[in-house]
Amino acid sequence: MIHEFDAVIVGAGGAGLYAALEASKTAKTAVVSKLYPQRSHTGAAQGGIGAALGNVEEDTPEWHAFDTVKGGDYLVDQNAAKILAEDAVRAVYDLENRGLPFSRLEDGKIAQRRFGGHTHHFGEGAVHRSCYAADRTGHMILQTLYQQCVKNDVQFFDEYQVVDLLLEGTTVKGIVTFELKTGELHIFKAKAVLFATGGFGRMFKITSNAHANTGDGPAILARAGIPLEDMEFFQFHPTGIRGMGILITEGVRGEGGILKNRDGERFMERYAPTLLDLAPRDMVSRAIMTEVGEGKGVRGDRKIDDYVWLDASHLGREVVEKKIPDIADFCRTYLGVDPAEEPMPVQPTAHYAMGGIPTDVDGRVDTGKQVYDGLYAAGEAACVSVHGANRLGTNSLVDLVVFGRRAGMHIAEYVKSASHGSVTEADADRARQRIDALRHRKGGRHVGPIMHRMQEVMMEKVGVYRTQEKMDQAVEEIRQLREDFKEVAVQDTGAGFNSEVLQIMELENLLDLSLITAASAANRTESRGAHAREDFPDRDDPNWLKHTMAGLDNDRVTIDFKPVDVSIWEPKPRKY
Amino acid sequence: MKVTLAIQRFNPETDSEPHVQNYQVEVEPTHRVLDALMDITQNQDGTLGYRRSCAHGVCGSDAMRINGREKLACKTLFKDLEIEEGGTLEIEPLRHLDVQKDLMVDQSTFFKKFRSVKPYFVPKAAEPEHGEFIQSPEERALFDEATKCINCAACYSACPVLDKNPNFVGPQAIVAAARFVNDSRDQGLEARLDALDQKDGVWPCESHFECTRVCPRDIKITKLINLTKRQIKKYRDARGEQTAEERAQ
């Protein structure tokens, strides 16, 4: 079946929904999502959205932009960071005006809290910049944007999994999707397609990400020959629930929570004397892994799954129940720990892809050498780049509302003058052959063992601390797993609601992105932001102040580069 | 420990009746029921159908009936189920919604009812030129409870009223309305009166408290429904009008 729209938005998280609201003002727009709306992982974001409102103390977008650049270890494109910080203020007001229930200050204004790496006067001290709704800020953003889509009658295609991109040269003409309900392939013919498919943390064993975060958009684009940017930079959030990876917001530390090692020592004093526990995430995660490596983890066995304490008990019950109620609930449910009474056991958890689909500041896919007309990306799937080598807390929500909106606005203009490409049923053949092949392999492998091995390899060999030897091993092992994957077969031969087919395609996407991530990481012989190498411990600006552009050519990853915009602030050593 | 999951299965393409299939799984007390379901589909039987995403109780995908009670599979740990080595856990799909396959139910009716209450912001005043609407922490607290809802449909399945009146708008839709009715920035009740003050709106609720008992977000749903009833009554009384319930008597 062929559906015709001006614009198709793939993904119904914050970026996709915001883009849909904007695009649908002029363009006939469809939102296609593999989940029901409101299930997307934007809803799991907790601590807040950064914007220099100055509701608590003096603040400026310029300081926010600077913090973003410094936080990203100067791999951030600086004009993009400026746009991010300036648009953030307008975006937060817009969300509030659309009903978002922010927590409030005594004077009735939007409440703001401190967050990692966010400072006043270019690093002098922590600033109250994170606008929050308790510890459910992402939930509120997702709800509010979906409510607005209901109000504006945006058209949704729920449980349609994107499986292929249709290009005519370098101009988009549509996508192919798999409808879960029927197992049929639907082509969406469109002048503009936006990929807002979110992250891909499920390539790691311990992750805060949803099972659905399998990087479908970036993987499809990589297979279509579009290189992905800065894939070696994957953020490990310092405070995931031990063993499970469930996120414990940085907002806990923003409210005064403290990290402690087995001796009860506040070890961040030794790593970041000014910002302490509110240093950027890459530094705090490394500090934790260093403590663990020195036998100062709680168990003290120096293994990578040892953990430390996050203590919020001194904040008192009222603060815990009011400011971090969901965290308290998670801890009680999954750990049997009451954070108002006892410390929480935490370990770094794979959290956020700084890299992804390369775009300009209007969401257009732009590799630096080629702009793809009508093709857009936004949110975690995209790399603008505003996060560089390490994203600051709260900037993911800023990214998706700022650039989701900007992409939607650009699409609304673009479709006015663009024309449709030519699309026929035969355009679904490539996807159909892939799925038929899965269905007709006999006696094949299950997805489970391959998925688990991939997650272990990525966690152990492309984790917080990296070496050439381990990353090279990871590349080889992932290559082998991609071979093993060719023997995975579907057991479920039914047509309707066959979620097994989806899971297999998701695993394929993760394997492709794992290979690109490991190869990009193995290639960068310096340490910068989240890419921390024991064998190259220093940042190397003369050789490596550049974005990686990694293409997928069957089982080879091709590496190219793109310059970084450093037009405002000169790169300096990063101290907190 | 080894336990058995007795899962109700139904594939409308091939089955005329639902049947129960037993799966043996090895679990730790700290495992989620979702972990066991995923173990089955990834390593034993890829044909089992269920929905899941976030795996920590915030996306609302995996509500189902576990030992006869509506729960999120990702927020239910084996240690909390009082199950022992060799024990059996019964798992069924939600009620009041058609089964699509195994534990997957058709949520379109549920979402249609949700949409019917205008679950979106209808501002009282013109948007500020620049900046934000002002709202005190006390005003904000009045609707905090209702903002927690994740639309998982556990309450909709547990509601005994829906057994006899399938047209009842259901607990979740009333929570969605209450989220705005009690927001000082919103036009509130007036904008949603048609949907709420009608025979299948708030009035069929008989305060069984089943919705409140099963809500994985601990929302005091029944209390919110009764509050909404009182607000409607007060609104009608002030205008010398009758509520839909009074008119029906």
Side-chain angles (χ1 to χ4, degrees):
Chain A
M1 196 186 293
I2 300 178
H3 309 265
E4 187 174 317
F5 286 89
D6 292 328
V8 172
I9 311 291
V10 187
L17 294 179
Y18 221 136
L21 281 173
E22 288 298 334
S24 60
K25 286 181 181 167
T26 67
K28 189 185 171 205
T29 304
V31 178
V32 172
S33 171
K34 68 176 175 182
L35 301 172
Y36 271 97
Q38 314 179 75
R39 309 296 188 217
S40 299
H41 206 52
T42 298
Q46 297 167 355
I49 175 167
L53 306 187
N55 283 359
V56 177
E57 59 190 316
E58 188 193 355
D59 197 8
T60 70
E62 195 189 3
W63 296 342
H64 184 183
F66 172 78
D67 290 340
T68 301
V69 168
K70 183 180 173 189
D73 220 348
Y74 293 91
L75 197 68
V76 172
D77 289 320
Q78 299 189 355
N79 271 303
K82 216 170 141 233
I83 289 170
L84 176 93
E86 285 166 3
D87 270 15
V89 176
R90 188 213 46 75
V92 165
Y93 287 144
D94 183 53
L95 287 167
E96 195 283 335
N97 293 170
R98 290 174 187 264
L100 195 138
F102 283 107
S103 295
R104 298 286 172 163
L105 300 167
E106 280 308 316
D107 65 2
K109 288 186 175 174
I110 295 168
Q112 297 188 275
R113 60 162 62 119
R114 295 186 176 115
F115 237 78
H118 289 280
T119 72
H120 58 85
H121 301 94
F122 308 102
E124 273 187 18
V127 71
H128 290 74
R129 183 178 291 147
S130 170
C131 311
Y132 64 92
D135 53 357
R136 308 183 182 114
T137 316
H139 168 76
M140 302 302 190
I141 289 178
L142 186 65
Q143 295 290 324
T144 301
L145 290 174
Y146 181 66
Q147 291 156 3
Q148 291 294 307
C149 286
V150 170
K151 188 174 184 178
N152 291 287
D153 228 0
V154 172
Q155 196 173 351
F156 284 85
F157 290 82
D158 301 333
E159 300 199 313
Y160 283 66
Q161 166 82 343
V162 61
V163 289
D164 207 358
L165 169 68
L166 303 178
L167 288 173
E168 211 165 76
T170 55
T171 303
V172 80
K173 60 178 187 175
I175 53 167
V176 182
T177 65
F178 174 90
E179 185 190 17
L180 182 65
K181 185 176 176 181
T182 60
E184 282 168 13
L185 293 177
H186 293 246
I187 294 175
F188 287 80
K189 179 180 173 181
K191 298 176 188 172
V193 173
L194 170 82
F195 282 88
T197 55
F200 34 89
R202 281 283 154 184
M203 68 169 66
F204 294 96
K205 185 178 172 189
I206 301 289
T207 178
S208 63
N209 282 203
H211 289 290
N213 294 145
T214 53
D216 307 327
I220 285 167
L221 265 57
R223 289 196 291 268
I226 297 169
L228 301 181
E229 183 171 350
D230 290 342
M231 291 290 283
E232 62 270 42
F233 298 101
F234 203 98
Q235 178 165 85
F236 285 79
H237 191 293
T239 59
I241 289 183
R242 170 175 54 103
M244 306 183 89
I246 296 168
L247 182 66
I248 295 188
T249 174
E250 197 168 296
V252 172
R253 284 171 283 139
E255 296 293 347
I258 292 169
L259 287 161
K260 293 176 177 173
N261 61 19
R262 64 176 295 149
D263 305 321
E265 182 202 4
R266 184 180 194 177
F267 57 84
M268 283 312 298
E269 285 174 348
R270 286 185 274 114
Y271 297 89
T274 306
L275 287 189
L276 301 163
D277 301 88
L278 286 176
R281 292 173 178 174
D282 58 328
M283 299 178 101
V284 181
S285 284
R286 279 197 294 280
I288 293 173
M289 294 315 289
T290 303
E291 293 295 299
V292 163
E294 289 171 358
K296 292 184 204 156
V298 175
R299 280 200 318 261
D301 58 12
R302 300 168 200 259
K303 290 188 179 158
I304 69 160
D305 64 343
D306 200 0
Y307 58 98
V308 296
W309 299 118
L310 172 59
D311 194 356
S313 59
H314 57 285
L315 302 180
R317 181 155 308 277
E318 200 189 326
V319 170
V320 167
E321 300 295 347
K322 260 206 184 133
K323 300 281 182 73
I324 48 166
D326 276 4
I327 296 302
D329 181 35
F330 297 153
C331 287
R332 284 191 288 258
T333 302
Y334 298 108
L335 297 165
V337 164
D338 178 354
E341 302 278 335
E342 323 159 67
M344 300 166 259
V346 294
Q347 72 179 118
T349 181
H351 184 57
Y352 187 87
M354 271 72 75
I357 303 165
T359 72
D360 66 12
V361 293
D362 291 311
R364 294 191 301 167
V365 175
D366 178 359
T367 66
K369 292 182 175 156
Q370 179 71 54
V371 174
Y372 287 79
D373 288 325
L375 185 58
Y376 296 79
E380 189 175 346
C383 179
V384 179
S385 156
V386 288
H387 307 307
N390 171 64
R391 174 173 71 73
L392 288 191
T394 79
N395 272 355
S396 60
L397 292 177
V398 184
D399 179 354
L400 58 83
V401 298
V402 166
F403 293 103
R405 172 177 163 272
R406 290 179 71 94
M409 286 166 62
H410 200 277
I411 289 169
E413 276 306 306
Y414 174 80
V415 297
K416 286 185 191 165
S417 55
S419 50
H420 275 288
S422 136
V423 171
T424 67
E425 290 285 354
D427 284 306
D429 285 351
R430 186 168 52 184
R432 187 170 290 113
Q433 281 159 12
R434 243 176 79 212
I435 293 168
D436 284 349
L438 291 176
R439 284 198 164 128
H440 294 117
R441 287 177 202 152
K442 290 277 177 238
R445 291 167 176 263
H446 282 288
V447 289
I450 298 177
M451 174 84 87
H452 292 146
R453 186 59 200 150
M454 169 192 70
Q455 290 169 336
E456 275 170 13
V457 168
M458 293 302 287
M459 195 78 197
E460 286 165 16
K461 297 179 177 173
V462 199
V464 173
Y465 278 116
R466 302 168 171 183
T467 63
Q468 194 70 49
E469 190 191 358
K470 281 189 176 171
M471 289 184 287
D472 288 343
Q473 286 171 4
V475 170
E476 276 320 302
E477 286 199 59
I478 298 293
R479 275 207 182 107
Q480 183 55 50
L481 289 171
R482 287 173 91 239
E483 287 302 310
D484 296 347
F485 173 81
K486 293 176 181 163
E487 292 166 32
V488 170
V490 177
Q491 292 184 307
D492 190 342
T493 52
F497 295 101
N498 189 328
S499 39
E500 195 187 13
V501 170
L502 288 190
Q503 280 185 40
I504 294 175
M505 290 192 289
E506 289 175 337
L507 174 60
E508 183 176 34
N509 292 338
L510 285 172
L511 284 167
D512 288 352
L513 296 182
S514 294
L515 183 68
I516 298 172
T517 299
S520 299
N523 187 64
R524 183 177 281 269
T525 51
E526 66 158 352
S527 287
R528 182 185 298 273
H531 180 61
R533 295 188 54 146
E534 291 174 42
D535 43 2
F536 294 91
D538 299 320
R539 197 173 84 192
D540 177 4
D541 285 343
N543 290 307
W544 286 105
L545 186 57
K546 56 190 177 186
H547 298 294
T548 301
M549 303 298 290
L552 185 65
D553 180 9
N554 293 311
D555 71 338
R556 263 179 2 103
V557 175
T558 60
I559 302 278
D560 200 354
F561 301 100
K562 188 169 113 175
V564 182
D565 167 13
V566 286
S567 55
I568 306 174
W569 293 288
E570 192 192 335
K572 288 194 176 140
R574 193 161 156 255
K575 290 216 160 46
Y576 287 94
Chain B
M1 63 180 175
K2 263 204 172 51
V3 297
T4 301
L5 300 195
I7 302 177
Q8 183 180 309
R9 304 210 55 188
F10 179 60
N11 182 351
E13 285 176 21
T14 51
D15 305 338
S16 54
E17 292 279 308
H19 63 280
V20 174
Q21 185 166 351
N22 289 336
Y23 295 95
Q24 315 290 326
V25 282
E26 182 72 36
V27 299
E28 299 289 329
T30 53
H31 279 178
R32 297 162 274 206
V33 172
L34 178 64
D35 297 325
L37 290 174
M38 292 200 55
D39 180 36
I40 292 170
T41 46
Q42 293 190 342
N43 299 303
Q44 291 189 39
D45 180 359
T47 70
L48 178 66
Y50 57 90
R51 292 190 173 91
R52 88 285 182 269
S53 187
C54 78
H56 66 286
V58 297
C59 83
S61 297
D62 64 351
M64 53 189 71
R65 283 162 58 83
I66 299 171
N67 280 349
R69 265 277 187 227
E70 285 74 9
K71 290 176 184 294
L72 298 179
C74 65
K75 223 183 161 184
T76 307
L77 275 52
F78 282 94
K79 70 180 166 72
D80 301 325
L81 287 167
E82 293 169 10
I83 187 168
E84 298 188 348
E85 171 81 36
T88 298
L89 202 62
E90 288 175 9
I91 301 181
E92 301 156 295
L94 295 181
R95 305 186 315 143
H96 304 136
L97 298 166
D98 291 337
V99 175
Q100 293 166 317
K101 187 186 168 191
D102 302 335
L103 303 172
M104 300 162 96
V105 293
D106 183 353
Q107 298 160 67
S108 44
T109 313
F110 173 74
F111 280 112
K112 202 174 143 201
K113 289 179 178 179
F114 164 71
R115 283 169 169 255
S116 77
V117 300
K118 290 194 192 162
Y120 44 77
F121 191 51
V122 186
K124 217 187 260 178
E127 280 169 17
E129 276 287 307
H130 176 76
E132 51 197 291
F133 291 112
I134 297 296
Q135 182 171 54
S136 72
E138 294 73 26
E139 288 168 332
R140 169 65 178 76
L142 288 177
F143 66 101
D144 187 61
E145 185 95 351
T147 65
K148 287 156 52 179
C149 177
I150 54 172
N151 307 290
C152 69
C155 59
Y156 194 85
S157 171
C159 176
V161 174
L162 281 158
D163 293 349
K164 50 189 180 188
N165 178 8
N167 295 324
F168 174 39
V169 70
Q172 190 278 335
I174 302 173
V175 171
R179 141 79 190 87
F180 294 100
V181 166
N182 300 303
D183 185 338
S184 58
R185 302 167 299 168
D186 193 281
Q187 290 177 18
L189 184 61
E190 196 149 11
R192 296 168 184 85
L193 203 59
D194 290 348
L196 297 172
D197 186 22
Q198 49 116 336
K199 70 177 172 50
D200 296 319
V202 294
W203 305 114
C205 171
E206 296 166 354
S207 294
H208 293 277
F209 286 90
E210 287 301 319
C211 51
T212 303
R213 276 183 204 110
V214 300
C215 178
R217 301 289 289 164
D218 295 324
I219 301 171
K220 296 181 184 69
I221 303 174
T222 319
K223 194 174 155 191
L224 277 177
I225 296 174
N226 286 326
L227 174 67
T228 309
K229 284 181 178 176
R230 287 199 298 278
Q231 288 169 325
I232 293 170
K233 177 88 171 77
K234 195 172 156 198
Y235 179 95
R236 292 295 189 198
D237 284 352
R239 284 160 186 74
E241 298 166 358
Q242 288 188 312
T243 66
E245 192 189 37
E246 288 162 344
R247 284 197 302 273
Q249 278 164 2

